[in-house]
């Protein structure tokens, strides 16, 4: 007889669930991952791509901590680009187009090779709760499964309702059923719940696209990737994306049918994403624009399916088809399936601790879209942390909390817990106060040793980082000690448009010039070139990291000082049993929000909307500081 007793049960095998399950199992917990369909594990429900502005940094952080998403993405990549390279390195963001099917298969392969991890295909309909502790789950097959902790990562499946114009279909994704029961149970337990909306564009047949009139967008042919592991590389043939635009004819076609749009006829009442609007929202919000950019993105190496990025819609299928045919290159387009909007249940994330454990039920954790976020990367980051903290909780250890100056994942979770959401939360670099510290190149420097302390990072990955760290220190030493003579570099300096040297200087001083790169400098200084050549396959990565640290040392140092000042507030804890309603010197809004959110520290309280500096002063007096 099967023993359905586990340390941790993960409900849902999307991006959050997969990372949660992998992390918990890697740490040694006997883990069960329950999914409604084993063939759609880590399904890329919308765009077949990973990363992007700030999102790419999250994936690098996941990888630095021993997570799986970066590895799977590199192995599934069909186009890689480093975005924002015309700006400073704090803004550089990796993005990778993925082969959708290979992404799933690579995830399944990774999961099935992890010790302590079992996968079960079923639907969870109820949580088993005793004395405000979760003890397991009940499934649609009538099975009771026991666990010491449960992580819910249900994505868009809780009460999922899809909209194709006036046609409504129940489901968490197209052709996949929704999940019912959990929302009602959690609401009865006192959880605050609401509805959100997201959407996806049509998928079209490659053979019906006229590529000759489109603008090609190729990927970067560089060493960059998502994983810090040197043995993980892109292996699939690289593909191009293509650019076209809507036009006044497109907009007129869409505008004529707005009465059929669930977004505008009152059919959808839930909260939609501001930063990923539907095409009908674009033509209304930006009525003065004659054109909107459209990216045609391949779904895979062996697939004719293309994703119409920028044309998300819930209009009737025939309206979508008619509008698409007004776009250059798509005059004869053939649909595989139309776009649609989907509404689903979520729970206010202010009901969570920073560990992502719920405040109402012990050992119950939420991660992903159930917390009001949008995006694979945001979900995966939460999943990793929920899996880690579920393991730590049942083993009597303190939770792993990442601070805002340590990671984008820390910014994400802190925003959710302290501020809540009034629309689907999406990560941007602008949300991070310390983005010069939180670069994509240094995620391993920030997080690998921290993750190793709790056993999340294996010895191989830790040694990879320590070797890179030693190389960076060695190269930094060479650059600060090597003397540059004018005669060796002046012809080159004049050639690249910067002033020649009038006297000797150290190499790192010359590197501070905007026109000078470490790669070019090494071609003129033998000692530097010889040092870099000893780094083998990691030479380019080490060079980039070293150059950034030296070029931006002043900015980095200043931002660290600012972070240290504010960190004082993070060390002043607040008791969980404070009755804020009785502290009359606080503003009414502050009393209400502090009582509802129960912040962990003064720093957390300072980031709650509606809590003023005066309210913080009151709390500091209360704590005797």
């Amino acid at each position: 007889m099967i023993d359905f007793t586990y340390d941790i049960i993960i409900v849902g095998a999307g991006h959050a669930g997969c990372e949660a399950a992998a992390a918990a199992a890697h740490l040694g917990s006997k883990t069960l991952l329950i999914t409604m369909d084993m063939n759609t594990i880590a399904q890329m429900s919308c765009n077949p791509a990973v990363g992007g502005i700030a999102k790419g940094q999250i994936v690098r952080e996941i990888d630095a901590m021993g997570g799986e998403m970066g590895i799977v993405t590199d192995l599934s990549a069909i186009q890689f680009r480093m975005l924002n390279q015309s700006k400073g390195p704090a803004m550089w963001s990796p993005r990778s187009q993925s082969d959708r099917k290979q992404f799933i298969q690579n995830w399944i392969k990774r999961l099935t090779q992890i010790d302590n991890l079992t996968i079960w295909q079923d639907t969870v309909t109820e949580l088993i709760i005793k004395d405000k502790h979760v003890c397991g789950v009940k499934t649609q097959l009538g099975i009771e499964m026991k666990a010491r902790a449960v992580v819910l990562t249900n994505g868009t499946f809780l009460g999922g309702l899809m909209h194709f114009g006036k046609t409504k279909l129940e489901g968490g994704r197209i052709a996949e059923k929704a999940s019912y029961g959990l929302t009602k149970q959690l609401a009865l337990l006192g959880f605050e719940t609401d509805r959100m909306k997201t959407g996806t564009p049509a998928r079209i047949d490659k053979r019906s696209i006229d590529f000759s009139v489109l603008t090609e967008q190729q990927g970067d042919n560089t060493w960059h990737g998502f994983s810090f592991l040197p043995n993980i590389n892109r292996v699939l043939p690289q593909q191009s994306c293509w650019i076209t635009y809507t036009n006044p004819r497109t907009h007129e076609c869409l505008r004529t049918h707005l009465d059929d749009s669930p977004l505008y006829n009152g059919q959808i009442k839930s909260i939609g994403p501001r930063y990923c609007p539907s095409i009908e929202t674009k033509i209304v919000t930006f009525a003065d624009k004659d054109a909107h950019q459209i990216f045609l993105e391949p779904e895979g190496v062996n697939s004719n399916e293309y994703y119409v990025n920028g044309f998300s819609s819930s209009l009737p299928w025939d309206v979508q088809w008619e509008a698409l045919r007004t776009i250059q290159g798509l005059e004869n387009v053939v649909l595989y399936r139309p776009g649609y909007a989907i509404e689903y249940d979520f729970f206010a994330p202010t009901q969570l601790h920073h560990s992502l454990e719920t405040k109402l039920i012990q050992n119950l954790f939420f991660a992903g879209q159930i917390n009001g976020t949008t995006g694979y990367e945001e979900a995966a980051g939460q999943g990793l942390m929920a899996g880690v903290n579920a393991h730590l909780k049942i083993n009597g250890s303190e939770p792993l909390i990442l601070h805002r100056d340590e990671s984008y994942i820390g910014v994400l979770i802190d925003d959710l817990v302290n501020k809540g959401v009034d629309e689907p939360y999406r990560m941007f670099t602008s949300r991070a106060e310390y983005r010069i510290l939180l670069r994509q190149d240094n995620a391993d420097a920030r997080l690998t040793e921290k993750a190793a302390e709790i056993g999340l990072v294996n010895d191989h990955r830790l040694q990879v980082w320590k070797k890179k760290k030693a190389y960076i220190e060695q190269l930094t030493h060479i650059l600060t000690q090597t003397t540059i003579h004018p005669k060796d570099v002046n012809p080159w300096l004049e050639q690249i448009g910067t002033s020649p040297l009038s006297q000797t200087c150290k190499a790192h001083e010359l590197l501070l010039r905007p026109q000078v790169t470490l790669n070019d400098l090494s071609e003129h200084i033998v000692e530097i070139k010889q040092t870099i050549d000893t780094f083998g396959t990691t030479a380019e990565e080490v060079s980039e990291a070293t150059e950034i640290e030296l070029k931006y040392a002043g900015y980095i140092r200043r931002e660290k000082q600012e972070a240290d000042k504010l960190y004082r507030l993070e060390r002043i804890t607040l008791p969980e049993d404070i009755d804020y309603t009785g502290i009359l010197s606080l503003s009414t809004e502050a009393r209400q929000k502090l009582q509802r959110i129960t912040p962990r520290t003064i720093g957390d309280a300072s980031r709650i909307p509606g809590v003023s500096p005066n309210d913080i002063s009151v709390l500091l007096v209360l704590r005797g500081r």
Side-chain angles (χ1 to χ4, degrees):
M1 183 173 179
I2 300 177
D3 179 17
F4 287 108
T5 303
Y6 301 90
D7 294 320
I8 299 172
I9 291 176
I10 314 295
V11 181
H15 304 277
C18 288
E19 289 291 355
H26 280 314
L27 287 168
S29 284
K30 183 182 178 184
T31 305
L32 177 68
L33 176 61
I34 303 178
T35 176
M36 296 167 70
D37 186 352
M38 287 183 62
N39 295 309
T40 58
I41 284 175
Q43 172 74 281
M44 306 181 91
S45 309
C46 196
N47 190 4
V50 169
I53 307 302
K55 293 169 173 281
Q57 283 88 327
I58 291 176
V59 181
R60 293 281 271 172
E61 291 172 356
I62 291 169
D63 184 78
M65 296 180 70
E68 304 288 342
M69 192 180 215
I71 295 172
V72 170
T73 300
D74 284 344
L75 295 176
S76 311
I78 56 176
Q79 187 195 90
F80 181 90
R81 295 178 65 214
M82 184 66 76
L83 307 181
N84 279 344
Q85 285 198 283
S86 62
K87 301 179 180 179
M91 307 299 288
W92 296 358
S93 301
R95 182 185 188 273
S96 183
Q97 201 71 25
S98 296
D99 184 303
R100 187 187 296 273
K101 292 181 180 178
Q102 286 295 315
F103 192 88
I104 293 172
Q105 291 305 310
N106 284 325
W107 251 116
I108 292 173
K109 183 177 180 180
R110 301 289 299 182
L111 291 172
T112 53
Q113 292 176 345
I114 298 175
D115 294 337
N116 305 313
L117 178 57
T118 303
I119 302 174
W120 179 262
Q121 183 167 304
D122 203 345
T123 300
V124 171
T125 56
E126 186 179 344
L127 299 173
I128 302 172
I129 295 172
K130 294 179 182 178
D131 300 324
K132 293 194 173 182
H133 283 69
V134 69
C135 304
V137 301
K138 294 180 181 179
T139 77
Q140 197 172 57
L141 294 178
I143 303 171
E144 289 195 9
M145 301 175 171
K146 297 179 181 178
R148 299 166 64 194
V150 173
V151 182
L152 295 185
T153 67
N154 303 78
T156 60
F157 284 81
L158 290 180
L161 180 64
M162 296 176 289
H163 298 263
F164 302 80
K166 294 179 181 178
T167 300
K168 294 185 285 186
L169 300 175
E170 294 181 353
R173 278 192 295 253
I174 194 166
E176 296 181 53
K177 61 184 179 180
S179 175
Y180 298 97
L182 285 177
T183 299
K184 182 177 179 181
Q185 180 189 16
L186 290 168
L188 289 173
L189 289 168
F191 283 88
E192 178 188 340
T193 183
D194 206 338
R195 301 276 282 174
M196 277 191 175
K197 169 262 171 188
T198 188
T200 190
R203 308 304 198 271
I204 62 176
D205 190 333
K206 169 185 178 180
R207 295 166 296 184
S208 65
I209 302 171
D210 182 3
F211 292 102
S212 67
V213 296
L214 304 182
T215 302
E216 185 175 12
Q217 183 187 63
Q218 296 181 338
D220 297 342
N221 185 24
T222 68
W223 57 271
H224 289 103
F226 278 100
S227 181
F228 288 98
L229 296 177
N231 60 320
I232 302 297
N233 300 295
R234 295 191 290 277
V235 295
L236 297 178
Q238 298 301 285
Q239 310 286 307
S240 291
C241 295
W242 302 82
I243 300 172
T244 186
Y245 294 87
T246 62
N247 55 63
R249 286 178 56 223
T250 314
H251 298 180
E252 182 58 30
C253 175
L254 295 167
R255 198 175 290 111
T256 302
H257 293 91
L258 283 179
D259 288 344
D260 296 321
S261 170
L263 294 175
Y264 290 96
N265 63 15
Q267 186 172 311
I268 291 178
K269 297 181 174 63
S270 51
I271 310 164
R274 178 198 305 264
Y275 301 107
C276 188
S278 66
I279 189 63
E280 49 264 44
T281 300
K282 288 180 184 178
I283 66 165
V284 171
T285 305
F286 307 103
D288 57 322
K289 280 200 167 188
D290 291 332
H292 293 284
Q293 194 170 53
I294 301 293
F295 292 91
L296 303 182
E297 301 174 337
E299 299 254 333
V301 172
N302 298 312
S303 172
N304 285 327
E305 200 169 346
Y306 265 64
Y307 177 92
V308 190
N309 193 339
F311 205 90
S312 176
S313 180
S314 60
L315 284 161
W317 72 267
D318 53 336
V319 176
Q320 295 183 44
W321 178 71
E322 181 184 349
L324 284 169
R325 287 197 161 205
T326 66
I327 297 173
Q328 187 175 35
L330 303 183
E331 291 86 354
N332 298 302
V333 74
V334 173
L335 286 182
Y336 276 125
R337 62 181 183 272
Y340 59 92
I342 181 169
E343 294 182 282
Y344 56 94
D345 301 331
F346 81 100
F347 295 85
T350 52
Q351 300 169 105
L352 303 174
H353 297 293
H354 276 75
S355 64
L356 298 181
E357 181 185 18
T358 67
K359 295 175 180 177
L360 288 176
I361 304 297
Q362 289 203 44
N363 294 7
L364 175 63
F365 295 76
F366 291 174
Q369 285 179 286
I370 193 172
N371 291 335
T373 62
T374 181
Y376 312 141
E377 304 82 4
E378 291 89 342
Q382 292 171 71
L384 177 77
M385 299 305 295
V388 167
N389 285 320
H391 169 86
L392 294 174
K393 177 68 186 292
I394 64 176
N395 286 282
S397 300
E398 289 296 310
L400 177 64
I401 307 298
L402 300 179
H403 298 291
R404 297 181 72 91
D405 62 335
E406 290 181 306
S407 68
Y408 273 92
I409 294 174
V411 173
L412 163 66
I413 293 174
D414 189 68
D415 279 353
L416 293 176
V417 172
N418 285 325
K419 299 178 182 178
V421 293
D422 55 9
E423 61 186 49
Y425 181 102
R426 179 179 181 178
M427 180 53 71
F428 295 101
T429 51
S430 59
R431 295 192 190 272
E433 306 93 313
Y434 310 113
R435 53 184 173 270
I436 297 177
L437 303 181
L438 308 183
R439 307 183 310 276
Q440 61 83 30
D441 67 278
N442 72 343
D444 51 354
R446 293 183 274 119
L447 299 172
T448 296
E449 291 184 41
K450 191 179 187 78
E453 290 174 2
I454 61 169
L456 185 59
V457 163
N458 61 29
D459 188 62
H460 170 64
R461 184 182 285 275
L462 181 60
Q463 293 309 313
V464 167
W465 156 242
K466 286 185 173 180
K467 189 175 182 180
K468 176 183 170 182
K469 182 180 180 182
Y471 284 161
I472 292 172
E473 291 172 351
Q474 181 183 349
L475 182 55
T476 301
H477 177 75
I478 292 295
L479 289 167
T480 55
Q481 297 301 312
T482 299
T483 299
I484 306 293
H485 296 277
K487 63 182 178 60
D488 295 329
V489 296
N490 275 352
W492 164 58
L493 293 177
E494 291 176 347
Q495 183 181 354
I496 62 175
T498 186
S499 302
L501 294 179
S502 58
Q503 60 186 18
T504 61
C505 71
K506 296 299 183 183
H508 80 280
E509 296 174 321
L510 188 57
L511 189 60
L512 296 179
R513 297 188 181 189
Q515 302 90 340
V516 176
T517 68
L518 180 52
N519 183 56
D520 290 340
L521 182 60
S522 67
E523 295 298 325
H524 294 83
I525 308 299
V526 174
E527 299 94 325
I528 299 173
K529 176 70 171 174
Q530 289 176 339
T531 300
I532 293 174
D533 287 345
T534 65
F535 301 155
T537 57
T538 63
E540 291 173 305
E541 184 177 358
V542 170
S543 296
E544 180 180 271
T546 305
E547 181 173 357
I548 290 171
E549 287 288 340
L550 289 173
K551 274 185 178 289
Y552 295 88
Y555 298 101
I556 293 169
R557 185 166 52 251
R558 185 173 64 190
E559 201 155 271
K560 282 181 178 177
Q561 291 170 349
E562 290 299 316
D564 289 342
K565 288 179 185 177
L566 292 176
Y567 194 61
R568 181 181 70 89
L569 299 180
E570 306 296 338
R571 293 195 293 266
I572 306 174
T573 59
L574 291 166
E576 291 187 16
D577 58 355
I578 291 182
D579 180 9
Y580 291 101
T581 60
I583 306 175
L584 300 182
S585 50
L586 293 170
S587 67
T588 301
E589 184 177 5
R591 292 200 300 271
Q592 293 171 346
K593 290 190 173 179
L594 290 167
Q595 188 68 25
R596 180 166 62 90
I597 296 173
T598 60
R600 182 176 48 93
T601 68
I602 295 286
D604 291 342
S606 70
R607 292 187 291 275
I608 297 173
V611 176
S612 69
N614 183 66
D615 295 320
I616 296 302
S617 297
V618 172
L619 293 178
L620 286 169
V621 171
L622 180 71
R623 296 298 293 150
R625 301 299 177 97

